Amino acid sequence: MSHGERYYFIGPVPETPGPSEQPGPWGATRFVGKAATRIDAYERVSGAAIFPSDLVLPDMLHGAILRCPHPHARVLSVDSRRAREMPGVAVVLASDRPNAGRTGADKFLVEHCRYEGEVVAALAARTPEEAQDALRMIEVEYELLPHLSDERRALDPGVPQVHSSGNQVAPTALYERGSIVEGFAMADAVVETRFDTATQIHCAIEPHGCVARWDGPRLTIWESTQGAFSVQAGVAGALGLPLSSVRVIGHYVGGGFGAKLEAGKYTLLAALLAREAARPVRLFLTREETFLAVGNRPPNHMRLKAGVRRDGTLTALDFEASGSGGAHPAGGVALVDWLVRDLYSCPNVRTELTDLFINAGPARPFRGPGHPQGAFALEQVIDQLAEKIGLDPLELRLRNIPEVSQARGGIPYTVSGLRRCLEEGACAFGWKARRAAVAAKGESEEKGASGPGGDHGESKDRGASGGLGGDHGASEDRGVSEGLGGDHGASEDRGASGGLGGGESHDESHGQSESKDEGASLQRGVGLAACLWVAGAGGPPSTIVLKLFADGSANINFGASDLGTGTKTVMALIVQEELGILPERVQIEHADTGTTQFATPSGGSKTIPTEAPAMRDAALAVRRQLLEIAAKEVERPAKTLAIEGDAIIARDGSEERWPIARLRGLQRRGVLIGVGYRAPNPEGKAISPFGAQFCEVEANRLTGELRVLRFVGAHDSGRVMNRLSYDNQVRGGIVMGIGFGLSEERRLDHGQTGRMLNANLHDYAIPTALDQPEEIVSLPIDLPDDEANTTGAKGLGEPVTIPTAAAIANAVYDALGVRPTATPMTPEQILTLLRAKREG
Amino acid sequence: MPMDDFVFHRPQSLPEACALHQELGDGAFYIAGGTDLVTDLKRGAKTARHLISLSGLAELRGIRRDGDLVRIGALASHAEVAASPEVRGAFPGLAEAAGKLGAVQIRNQGTIGGNFCAAVPCADTPPICVAGGLRLLLSDGRRDRELTAQEFFLGPRQSALEPGEVLREILVAPQPANAGASYQRFTLRGGLALSVASVAAWLTLDDARIGTARVALGAVAPVPLLVEECASILSGQLPEDGVLSEAAEASAKAARPITDIRGSEEYRREIVSVMARRALVAAIERARGAKSYPWERV
């Protein structure tokens, strides 16, 4: 991506002045990187934290949105008279109102509805229930239009057209380097496979929404958002207000994952309803609406052909993908090919991306946009190549690690930890021992023919060699933690089933017939996948203000959101690192356009690498001033002084101390203010986080169930800023990746109503606590990237979910000898693959 | 999600509740835990003008021993049934089924009576009761009547309850010492999931041979389905691999599944076969005295 352009920000990104000094990198740190409890842990755990959806204002009304229930329809007429007469209703925004134009609502109300969930009308009432009741009283006459819900059919002749211009969003995008024809000619082995990934919904715990309040011409919005300033700009632009009239506050956000980077239509409707009603309006979407209208990871259909030489050199990658961001342009294939272009050294690469329209809700950036889909294809094909040339999949990857970003014109990476992620992750996982055990048993040829006895032996090997592996004999205790698709009692019974027929049929299982014995039908496999993340470097602008009060306590003021990743805590740790101020003596003010400085939305795994260097700069600015004041007062040169806890100390070994709170200069000033800026990234260098994940899966040949037993996530995200939240990110990303891989899928009623069949948290299956692996090991590859920025940090939030599904798929192949090429990898898919394999 | 207005009634006795229901007629629904009814009302699948809460009815509460019977009040929550020493002692397969259902919150809120009365094909507690040959006590407020669990179910969301009639108790008759049971369900995730298919098995072992055997299926037919063929396949046989496979195949054949978002017809049949085998294996072990219920293993 070129300078001044980011997927999480529309238009050129503003720049800030350079920092006041370019400090050297931290060497060893005392506070940064240690496991620090979140500074708002108490608020979060006790419920004292006020999320936007918790807010209650005097006289507040409750807004609700009427959405089109059809995938494709034209609104012929709207009659909201009955709704306006319903009890408690204060204001209705509908196209039949004589003043719809005057309120400014008309441009948000859709007449030609192209997906289930387009906004048709909105209203506000005294209670949420009254609002919902009134919504049902709005009579809408629709003309149903033919719809298209399956993007795989979008270019078939005669299918319904989503737009008059056709079903293709833009001309197919082509990327090419080298010559794939020559590349394939050089290859000793070639594989070609098709992959399909399903639509995943963000499912943030807090739905999208806001509370809007007007004070005369000024609007305040409390929004569940990743970017208070982007909401401010969106609202001000849409309503024609100066930025100074729109204050957006987003102190807490109950999850965003990319779907809350900007103002929603709901934000604008809340503002209009509040203005019409002259009362504050709370408008949060229902869970069902969040499934339909505010974002998803788009479905992708991919074909990847790859060539390799016997020595493991990749010679060609030919990738083709289509996808759909829904009924309006929304990046249906965005970044799907990035890993193919850039993860491994390959001189000959061609990618072709086709973005299509369907009558379905919009895609939004979702935790590593495009990357988990692309990884699902690339990382399985790499395994297929490895098998073809008889190389360990780990080894094949190690032989193709690039020093430069080939897709960015061949500029070198500041730091690439890919090799170390693979090597150290493999070591922690016990990869080599596991592969050796498989090879020793000659299992690789006849996968699926052996019983579970060998697997238990292997788990012992692993325990001995891996060290981190822990005791995987714990699988006997399966009843305690159920696997995805698993089932409590079933696993307990499996554990106990040895007594009956287990022994006999175990022997039979080596014969030609499929064993019906449950014990013998369980098979384990291991898999790995690697990744990088295209963004994650961060960059300007960032402006952070640090105020040191007269008693030596401080206030940090920055505009970025902490979307649950622990940004605030990292900021406090940086201040502690530079100034010694304890986090409990720091007040944090952030994500408020009225009181903090402009920041880009927290997304793209760039919040820490963007904000942390500016925070450090602000802390250094305060330190300079403080030491100057102290130098005058104690009559020593500033450079002989340092800050230690709440005192100035002499660096000459004399152990002299002067408490900061007693510095007269500071007392007179009352406050020292340091302003920190983010310096630009180094020219001509590529900055990316890298990672590799390893997993062990247990598959049941009879039911197709997959249980993920354990994961190791080895990630290079530069310097670890807070080990505790780092590990949490790794675990959370892997769990989200497991959902993407195994169970999550937007189901549209293809060929019939075209509506979403599982727009609720019961039928749309995100993993529950019972679906977690027993063990997820986070292994930070702590490689401070000192060239990237002054804190050495790169992004972590997204890479941690990119390789997960691919690693599981590779483990499934290792276990069963069949390759799941579609997400979610349901038990039914696995069973179908096994049957196909049996029947040849 | 909107709901239509309704009047909420809180009768304090069974006769009062039944009289109220008869008086209010159509549009009146009994409500206990509400885990099924409220979602139906919210999505507009049902429209209620009156909700008659059963929660105040002492007659429907509690799980108690009455001579050699165990009476499970219809208002007992799944969590109560799962943890009840009486149920675990008298008919542990039901405690097992109740403990697997839904999720923790659903098990705390939902009642066993509701699980029966909603008559949803994928309900988790009916199959084991059908397999175990349990009887149900119904009441219209004036007189009680008994039905077998199997007779209770007429079709999807259709039960033998007359208008205004209430399921009062589930009756657990004493089980032979050589009996064993198991309920096996297959779900697409670990918690908060409906069964794709489920199988309950109940049998006795006379010496080494299977005596009586009953297999009932859930989620694969309009009602909890007793697989008649299994009785003859299993009775009098040694519990060997071939026999179990035959019973599992008969179960899969008897199933009449539909295709929906949880699984295709074909897949469900395959799962029935695996679950049937699992259930039979576990039931046989338990008939032999194996301590394999979750609460017995801790």
Side-chain angles (χ1 to χ4, degrees):
Chain A
M1 261 173 276
S2 68
H3 183 65
E5 196 184 320
R6 304 283 187 276
Y7 84 76
Y8 48 78
F9 196 82
I10 297 161
V13 179
E15 298 193 8
T16 41
S20 48
E21 63 178 291
Q22 193 68 20
W26 282 317
T29 51
R30 290 186 302 165
F31 304 104
V32 165
K34 304 295 184 291
T37 307
R38 291 189 189 208
I39 57 165
D40 56 3
Y42 172 81
E43 286 82 349
R44 287 177 182 273
V45 172
S46 66
I50 298 173
F51 286 73
S53 52
D54 294 329
L55 191 66
V56 177
L57 297 177
D59 296 327
M60 184 176 82
L61 297 171
H62 295 266
I65 296 173
L66 182 69
R67 293 179 183 275
C68 178
H70 309 292
H72 197 188
R74 194 180 300 282
V75 175
L76 297 181
S77 69
V78 177
D79 184 347
S80 64
R81 279 171 300 181
R82 284 176 65 203
R84 276 181 275 138
E85 285 155 15
M86 288 289 284
V89 172
V91 50
V92 178
L93 301 177
S95 56
D96 67 328
R97 266 197 98 181
N99 57 358
R102 182 187 61 78
T103 61
D106 50 344
K107 61 179 164 179
F108 309 122
L109 307 178
V110 181
E111 191 201 308
H112 184 164
C113 299
R114 290 186 167 88
Y115 66 88
E116 179 192 8
E118 293 241 52
V119 175
V120 174
L123 55 77
R126 260 179 331 207
T127 67
E129 292 77 17
E130 284 173 335
Q132 292 292 341
D133 282 348
L135 220 50
R136 291 198 299 168
M137 292 298 141
I138 299 177
E139 288 165 26
V140 183
E141 196 187 338
Y142 293 102
E143 177 196 356
L144 299 192
L145 301 171
H147 62 265
L148 174 73
S149 62
D150 186 347
E151 63 282 347
R152 287 164 298 190
R153 297 187 48 226
L155 300 180
D156 289 356
V159 297
Q161 300 294 294
V162 178
H163 292 274
S164 55
S165 55
N167 289 337
Q168 192 161 337
V169 178
T172 294
L174 194 69
Y175 168 85
E176 205 163 8
R177 71 167 182 259
S179 157
I180 55 166
V181 175
E182 285 171 29
F184 284 120
M186 282 188 284
D188 294 315
V190 173
V191 298
E192 182 171 12
T193 311
R194 290 177 183 277
F195 300 91
D196 305 279
T197 55
T199 311
Q200 184 185 20
I201 308 290
H202 297 71
C203 291
I205 294 303
E206 183 180 45
H208 295 61
C210 68
V211 176
R213 184 186 71 190
W214 291 84
D215 294 301
R218 290 175 195 277
L219 172 62
T220 305
I221 291 173
W222 289 264
E223 169 129 339
S224 180
T225 182
Q226 297 174 233
F229 287 87
S230 89
V231 173
Q232 179 198 34
V235 171
L239 301 186
L241 297 168
L243 290 173
S244 60
S245 289
V246 181
R247 180 177 178 190
V248 177
I249 302 167
H251 289 158
Y252 284 94
V253 47
F257 308 112
K260 294 178 182 169
L261 290 166
E262 57 201 15
K265 243 183 200 185
Y266 48 85
T267 317
L268 305 169
L269 290 168
L272 295 181
L273 288 165
R275 185 160 69 185
E276 274 300 286
R279 288 166 70 175
V281 167
R282 176 189 189 278
L283 203 172
F284 273 82
L285 305 192
T286 61
R287 179 58 64 185
E288 288 75 11
E289 287 176 279
T290 66
F291 277 99
L292 296 171
V294 287
N296 57 58
R297 182 188 298 289
N300 289 117
H301 309 286
M302 302 167 278
R303 178 190 63 79
L304 178 58
K305 183 177 173 189
V308 70
R309 287 188 359 194
R310 252 184 297 278
D311 65 358
T313 309
L314 281 177
T315 61
L317 292 166
D318 176 23
F319 182 69
E320 198 185 331
S322 66
S324 176
H328 303 285
V333 286
L335 297 172
V336 172
D337 64 341
W338 191 262
L339 292 178
V340 171
R341 290 196 206 181
D342 221 22
L343 184 57
Y344 297 115
S345 280
C346 185
N348 308 301
V349 177
R350 185 175 186 278
T351 76
E352 217 183 280
L353 303 180
T354 304
D355 196 359
L356 302 164
F357 289 122
I358 56 169
N359 294 109
R364 286 284 175 270
F366 188 168
R367 209 169 188 173
H371 285 49
Q373 301 98 299
F376 193 69
L378 175 65
E379 288 299 273
Q380 291 203 67
V381 163
I382 293 292
D383 266 38
Q384 289 179 303
L385 289 176
E387 190 183 27
K388 275 218 159 183
I389 59 171
L391 208 58
D392 185 288
L394 174 67
E395 184 55 35
L396 178 55
R397 287 172 173 86
L398 289 172
R399 289 188 191 179
N400 289 283
I401 290 179
E403 298 297 317
V404 301
S405 176
Q406 303 154 96
R408 284 177 277 203
I411 56 173
Y413 289 110
T414 47
V415 174
S416 164
L418 182 55
R419 178 176 300 280
R420 285 188 55 187
C421 290
L422 284 162
E423 285 176 345
E424 292 173 33
C427 184
F429 183 81
W431 176 263
K432 285 187 175 142
R434 177 62 170 82
R435 297 289 301 185
V438 171
K441 278 189 309 187
E443 231 188 41
S444 53
E445 293 304 308
E446 262 306 305
K447 284 203 183 70
S450 82
D455 286 317
H456 289 294
E458 280 149 32
S459 72
K460 287 192 194 89
D461 294 348
R462 228 178 9 248
S465 64
L468 271 168
D471 176 16
H472 303 293
S475 58
E476 264 86 8
D477 282 327
R478 276 189 293 261
V480 183
S481 78
E482 301 163 308
L484 195 76
D487 153 46
H488 231 142
S491 359
E492 277 146 13
D493 290 341
R494 261 179 286 171
S497 68
L500 191 108
E504 303 97 65
S505 55
H506 183 107
D507 291 333
E508 284 169 17
S509 76
H510 289 281
Q512 57 281 62
S513 72
E514 271 296 299
S515 167
K516 296 292 179 192
D517 179 71
E518 293 268 340
S521 67
L522 297 179
Q523 281 175 304
R524 292 189 178 187
V526 295
L528 79 91
C531 73
L532 61 73
W533 163 233
V534 63
S542 174
T543 306
I544 294 184
V545 176
L546 177 67
K547 298 174 212 165
L548 182 73
F549 298 128
D551 64 351
S553 66
N555 171 292
I556 299 173
N557 181 302
F558 67 98
S561 297
D562 179 343
L563 71 156
T565 55
T567 312
K568 288 186 287 184
T569 309
V570 169
M571 296 296 132
L573 292 175
I574 292 167
V575 169
Q576 189 178 16
E577 190 71 40
E578 295 294 353
L579 296 170
I581 304 171
L582 295 173
E584 50 266 35
R585 284 172 64 79
V586 169
Q587 177 199 32
I588 290 191
E589 203 176 350
H590 81 305
D592 179 343
T593 66
T595 61
T596 66
Q597 309 356 293
F598 176 86
T600 49
S602 294
S605 302
K606 62 100 182 105
T607 312
I608 289 299
T610 294
E611 310 300 338
M615 181 75 261
R616 189 173 178 213
D617 189 40
L620 293 176
V622 165
R623 187 168 78 173
R624 254 186 336 266
Q625 296 172 60
L626 185 62
L627 290 179
E628 275 164 27
I629 288 174
K632 262 186 215 156
E633 234 158 288
V634 305
E635 295 177 344
R636 294 180 188 221
K639 61 177 162 230
T640 66
L641 301 173
I643 301 168
E644 176 76 49
D646 55 2
I648 306 292
I649 57 161
R651 285 162 72 179
D652 57 6
S654 66
E655 290 185 24
E656 275 193 273
R657 296 170 63 86
W658 302 273
I660 290 170
R662 282 200 224 132
L663 291 176
R664 286 188 310 277
L666 180 59
Q667 299 294 337
R668 270 199 302 276
R669 287 274 298 277
V671 66
L672 290 183
I673 295 177
V675 180
Y677 297 109
R678 173 63 156 87
N681 290 330
E683 290 287 329
K685 289 290 176 76
I687 303 167
S688 276
F690 297 85
Q693 294 181 358
F694 300 78
C695 73
E696 179 159 8
V697 162
E698 183 180 80
N700 185 324
R701 298 179 65 84
L702 297 182
T703 60
E705 285 164 277
L706 301 177
R707 277 178 12 96
V708 180
L709 301 177
R710 62 189 184 111
F711 247 98
V712 170
H715 287 270
D716 156 33
S717 286
R719 183 187 296 281
V720 175
M721 300 298 279
N722 177 356
R723 179 66 198 263
L724 200 57
S725 47
Y726 185 101
D727 290 348
N728 286 342
Q729 284 272 36
V730 172
R731 289 195 198 97
I734 287 173
V735 169
M736 204 168 216
I738 290 173
F740 171 67
L742 295 187
S743 61
E744 296 186 41
E745 178 180 17
R746 175 182 72 182
R747 296 285 292 267
L748 299 177
D749 195 9
H750 292 318
Q752 300 198 48
T753 64
R755 298 181 62 183
M756 186 172 172
L757 294 167
N758 56 344
N760 62 70
L761 285 174
H762 186 259
D763 296 313
Y764 181 91
I766 58 174
T768 70
L770 297 174
D771 301 308
Q772 318 298 331
E774 284 166 24
E775 180 185 86
I776 298 179
V777 174
S778 160
L779 182 75
I781 307 299
D782 198 348
L783 278 170
D785 192 338
D786 294 327
E787 211 179 335
N789 64 66
T790 58
T791 61
K794 298 186 289 193
L796 176 68
E798 283 158 294
V800 289
T801 209
I802 292 169
T804 310
I808 295 171
N810 285 334
V812 170
Y813 181 78
D814 185 46
L816 298 176
V818 295
R819 190 161 281 293
T821 56
T823 71
M825 297 175 259
T826 61
E828 186 160 358
Q829 183 194 161
I830 301 300
L831 222 52
T832 306
L833 291 168
L834 286 171
R835 192 184 305 117
K837 189 191 176 204
R838 244 190 345 264
E839 292 164 3
Chain B
M1 286 275 149
M3 276 193 275
D4 285 302
D5 278 351
F6 51 79
V7 184
F8 194 75
H9 305 269
R10 296 169 190 265
Q12 293 305 306
S13 73
L14 186 53
E16 190 192 339
C18 295
L20 198 57
H21 196 290
Q22 275 144 22
E23 181 194 321
L24 298 170
D26 286 351
F29 290 85
Y30 289 125
I31 182 166
T35 55
D36 196 67
L37 181 61
V38 172
T39 45
D40 277 357
L41 294 175
K42 280 188 165 179
R43 65 189 173 91
K46 289 196 177 100
T47 305
R49 289 202 299 276
H50 298 274
L51 290 184
I52 302 169
S53 169
L54 300 177
S55 303
L57 274 52
E59 296 97 322
L60 271 56
R61 285 212 169 276
I63 299 171
R64 63 197 168 88
R65 184 162 278 287
D66 177 12
D68 55 5
L69 272 185
V70 170
R71 295 176 175 272
I72 303 172
L75 285 177
S77 70
H78 304 300
E80 279 176 76
V81 172
S84 159
E86 284 78 19
V87 179
R88 287 180 177 183
F91 191 51
L94 176 56
E96 180 184 36
K100 288 179 176 180
L101 176 156
V104 174
Q105 294 90 333
I106 303 278
R107 293 197 289 271
N108 284 336
Q109 176 69 20
T111 64
I112 187 163
N115 205 226
F116 272 75
C117 295
V120 176
C122 62
D124 284 303
T125 57
I128 191 72
C129 294
V130 168
L134 266 53
R135 299 183 70 79
L136 310 178
L137 182 68
L138 279 48
S139 175
D140 66 0
R142 292 187 298 272
R143 50 175 282 279
D144 293 352
R145 62 172 177 137
E146 283 190 24
L147 285 180
T148 64
Q150 193 188 353
E151 289 163 340
F152 183 80
F153 297 99
L154 304 181
R157 297 180 173 271
Q158 286 179 308
S159 74
L161 286 168
E162 299 290 338
E165 204 174 24
V166 166
L167 170 61
R168 190 169 172 169
E169 285 173 345
I170 289 139
L171 308 174
V172 183
Q175 302 275 304
N178 59 347
S182 173
Y183 177 67
Q184 299 294 338
R185 68 199 289 258
F186 188 80
T187 56
L188 294 175
R189 67 175 169 188
L192 199 69
L194 296 177
S195 296
V196 172
S198 67
V199 177
W202 184 95
L203 50 78
T204 58
L205 276 187
D206 299 323
D207 297 324
R209 287 180 188 276
I210 299 171
T212 316
R214 285 191 294 265
V215 173
L217 315 181
V220 289
V223 294
L225 190 70
L226 193 65
V227 184
E228 306 286 352
E229 296 83 346
C230 283
S232 51
I233 291 169
L234 295 164
S235 284
Q237 301 294 317
L238 290 170
E240 285 170 344
D241 209 49
V243 172
L244 300 187
S245 295
E246 203 184 326
E249 288 321 305
S251 301
K253 216 167 148 189
R256 284 177 279 149
I258 58 165
T259 294
D260 67 12
I261 60 168
R262 280 183 288 283
S264 69
E265 182 189 332
E266 301 74 38
Y267 182 66
R268 284 192 149 109
R269 252 182 233 286
E270 236 173 304
I271 290 300
V272 165
S273 158
V274 181
M275 293 300 118
R277 208 190 146 86
R278 256 185 214 176
L280 286 167
V281 168
I284 290 163
E285 283 172 2
R286 286 165 180 175
R288 285 176 177 161
K291 301 282 183 207
S292 62
Y293 286 106
W295 59 86
E296 293 174 330
R297 306 168 132 233
V298 178

